[in-house]
Amino acid sequence: MDYIDYYKTLEITKTATEAEIKKAYRKLARKYHPDLNPNDKEAEKKFKEINEANEVLSNPENRKKYDKYGKDWKHADEFEKAGYDPNQQQQQYSRQQSGQDFSGFGGDFSGSDFSDFFNSMYGSGRSSRAQSKYRGQDFNAELRLDLASAYTTHKQSLTVNGKNIRITIPAGVENGQVIKIPGHGGAGVNGGPNGDLYITFLIENNSDFKRDGNNLYSNVDLDLYTAILGGEISIKTFDGKVKIKVPAETQTGTKVKLKGKGFPVYKKDNQFGDLYVTYNLKIPTKLSEKEKELFAELSKLRNHGQ
């Protein structure tokens, strides 16, 4: 049974923080996910190795024992009770390889989706001692939404590891945001608790608005006459149209804020960001001869006034 370096599997150092472990796992799990690598046996193998490494290193207690005992991690509790010195691991491993009996610590290990090394640590076979309970594996999934769907709270079904899960998606989720669904990960070992499900949201924006956090931004064409004389125009917001007044002599590029007309604040009922509208002056085209004459007259009046 070969020793497996889980840090190397996740491409991290032994000093990696919990956040760095989580980040590395998500990056690699997404890269080698079977859905993105259909019929690729090597990618499937790599995906299992990555999940196995995360199973150990993402749990602080398991990681501590793994760091201390390495390949003999499974026997940590028994070794500590017996006053076992981890510096003697190599000697005991050699004895085990030569056929000496470790019946006091060992078991009959059966196959699974994990490596023999992982099974030896977890004690997947029978043992005369009570087996420890371990938390199930965390699952990761991606969910794509358009901006309109992210604007309202709604329910949606998704399939994770062959199971259909119906979740409530709060209004205001952001692109790249990760939420945790407790207990919807892998089953625990020996009666341990289930893992959790982490969902990463990918928000596609095909609307006329630009989103920045809870605020929305849009550009609105303003005709020359309204810009000069002032008036009232209809503005499109994400949930309908509103009428606003335009002051006389409004310049192109002018920005106005429509308070509370932005995006919903995540998990904050009836709280919204703002909508910022930028006016773009639209110059009239295809002028009639009469219009040209009038503009010429206006130009003369303007120049004489100066």
Side-chain angles (χ1 to χ4, degrees):
M1 176 182 62
D2 295 330
Y3 170 73
I4 297 178
D5 188 338
Y6 288 140
Y7 291 100
K8 185 176 180 181
T9 299
L10 291 182
E11 301 177 5
I12 55 177
T13 65
K14 289 188 176 182
T15 59
T17 64
E18 289 185 32
E20 289 171 336
I21 291 173
K22 182 181 294 185
K23 181 179 179 180
Y25 167 69
R26 289 177 180 168
K27 175 184 176 182
L28 293 172
R30 184 177 293 112
K31 179 179 179 181
Y32 292 102
H33 196 284
D35 289 347
L36 300 179
N37 301 273
N39 302 319
D40 188 336
K41 295 298 182 183
E42 286 300 316
E44 181 180 352
K45 178 182 177 183
K46 186 70 175 177
F47 185 70
K48 289 181 179 180
E49 291 174 352
I50 293 165
N51 279 284
E52 179 178 313
N54 182 66
E55 177 76 14
V56 175
L57 299 184
S58 64
N59 184 305
E61 183 179 349
N62 292 350
R63 180 185 181 186
K64 182 179 179 181
K65 291 179 181 179
Y66 170 77
D67 288 343
K68 185 174 182 180
Y69 291 99
K71 58 183 171 52
D72 294 315
W73 179 87
K74 159 179 117 67
H75 310 309
D77 293 339
E78 291 91 341
F79 285 156
E80 290 176 357
K81 289 179 182 178
Y84 174 75
D85 184 355
N87 292 325
Q88 299 176 358
Q89 290 180 65
Q90 184 59 43
Q91 177 183 351
Q92 294 203 20
Y93 178 66
S94 298
R95 288 163 54 195
Q96 184 182 26
Q97 290 294 87
S98 65
Q100 295 193 31
D101 184 19
F102 275 79
S103 60
F105 298 127
D108 178 20
F109 306 124
S110 59
S112 73
D113 285 340
F114 297 102
S115 68
D116 292 338
F117 173 66
F118 182 88
N119 286 330
S120 74
M121 292 197 299
Y122 272 90
S124 62
R126 299 179 299 275
S127 174
S128 59
R129 297 176 181 268
Q131 293 181 333
S132 299
K133 297 180 179 180
Y134 295 100
R135 182 176 175 275
Q137 174 187 344
D138 289 338
F139 289 160
N140 292 273
E142 291 182 344
L143 185 58
R144 295 182 180 274
L145 299 175
D146 57 27
L147 198 62
S149 296
Y151 187 82
T152 58
T153 297
H154 65 284
K155 294 183 181 295
Q156 190 159 330
S157 296
L158 63 157
T159 302
V160 179
N161 203 37
K163 295 182 179 180
N164 289 325
I165 300 174
R166 188 166 178 80
I167 63 172
T168 298
I169 302 174
V173 292
E174 294 198 45
N175 184 48
Q177 182 174 345
V178 179
I179 65 171
K180 181 175 76 172
I181 311 296
H184 283 278
V189 178
N190 299 328
N194 290 348
D196 299 324
L197 169 62
Y198 290 88
I199 299 178
T200 301
F201 288 92
L202 302 178
I203 311 297
E204 297 177 352
N205 185 1
N206 47 19
S207 73
D208 295 329
F209 300 91
K210 177 184 176 182
R211 181 185 180 188
D212 184 6
N214 299 318
N215 294 327
L216 293 175
Y217 297 82
S218 70
N219 295 315
V220 173
D221 288 336
L222 189 63
D223 70 86
L224 177 65
Y225 310 105
T226 304
I228 294 175
L229 303 174
E232 189 176 73
I233 62 173
S234 181
I235 295 287
K236 179 182 177 182
T237 71
F238 215 88
D239 62 350
K241 291 185 176 182
V242 296
K243 290 184 177 181
I244 61 173
K245 290 184 177 181
V246 178
E249 301 179 5
T250 294
Q251 301 296 310
T252 187
T254 297
K255 290 184 178 181
V256 294
K257 180 175 78 172
L258 278 63
K259 188 172 179 60
K261 291 297 182 180
F263 221 71
V265 179
Y266 182 71
K267 286 191 174 181
K268 299 288 186 180
D269 292 339
N270 299 318
Q271 291 189 31
F272 294 81
D274 302 320
L275 170 61
Y276 291 86
V277 175
T278 300
Y279 290 134
N280 293 325
L281 189 60
K282 192 172 181 63
I283 303 298
T285 59
K286 299 180 180 180
L287 298 177
S288 67
E289 290 302 319
K290 183 63 176 178
E291 287 175 318
K292 291 179 182 179
E293 290 177 9
L294 292 173
F295 274 113
E297 186 68 24
L298 286 172
S299 177
K300 291 178 182 179
L301 290 173
R302 187 72 175 178
N303 291 333
H304 290 162
Q306 295 177 349

